[in-house]
Amino acid sequence: MIALIQRVVSASVSVGDETVGAIGPGLLALVAVQPDDGEAQAKRMLERLLGYRVFADANGRMNRSLTDTGGGLLLVSQFTLAADTRSGMRPSFTSAAPPEHGRRWFERLLELARAAHPGVETGRFGAHMMIQLVNDGPVTFWLDTG
């Protein structure tokens, strides 16, 4: 499982004219599921999303996690993160999970996140989504459970 996380002042995701998820300060996580992902990867990704220290402490150092701050978490499925871009001029998606496998484990990650942390929002799996965000920093990290 892969996640591109961004520390945000705010973020929202819309499908058509409907805002389906929105947060204030916290993390936007774009998440890709890979073919071999399962329960262990979902649990590890959640541990990293909630525990990764990207928020400033009293001294301005990145020593606080999402759990520490109580900030929002916006999870958005994005299979394109798993693309193989090493050659050619068109990405290959053979390293991304098939849609049903991706949906199963993305939804499991979402379920685990909602049980463990307040303020978890999401996009809509498989939909064409419009994402708006104000990146704070900018602070962006690539997390990988593999």
Side-chain angles (χ1 to χ4, degrees):
M1 196 171 279
I2 300 165
L4 181 73
I5 63 169
Q6 297 183 67
R7 186 178 72 189
V8 297
V9 172
S10 63
S12 65
V13 60
S14 300
V15 177
D17 292 334
E18 177 189 6
T19 298
V20 295
I23 62 169
L27 289 179
L28 166 63
L30 305 173
V31 179
V33 177
Q34 297 175 295
D36 293 334
D37 287 344
E39 186 74 12
Q41 290 76 22
K43 287 181 175 178
R44 177 65 177 140
M45 182 56 73
L46 179 62
E47 178 183 28
R48 298 203 73 203
L49 291 171
L50 297 181
Y52 212 65
R53 298 183 305 171
V54 299
F55 297 94
D57 63 14
N59 297 317
R61 298 182 57 120
M62 284 194 262
N63 277 324
R64 299 180 72 217
S65 68
L66 194 62
T67 297
D68 296 332
T69 66
L73 175 61
L74 179 56
L75 294 173
V76 178
S77 63
Q78 188 175 350
F79 78 96
T80 60
L81 285 177
D84 182 350
T85 60
R86 292 175 289 186
S87 65
M89 298 304 288
R90 185 167 187 251
S92 167
F93 297 106
T94 58
S95 53
E100 287 311 308
H101 183 78
R103 179 185 301 273
R104 176 180 180 195
W105 293 108
F106 178 81
E107 288 179 357
R108 178 62 176 148
L109 174 63
L110 179 60
E111 176 185 16
L112 291 168
R114 286 184 165 154
H117 189 78
V120 176
E121 297 281 330
T122 190
R124 187 170 295 153
F125 190 93
H128 181 90
M129 295 175 275
M130 302 298 285
I131 299 170
Q132 295 184 352
L133 68 129
V134 178
N135 191 314
D136 180 13
V139 173
T140 303
F141 292 97
W142 177 274
L143 303 179
D144 192 338
T145 61

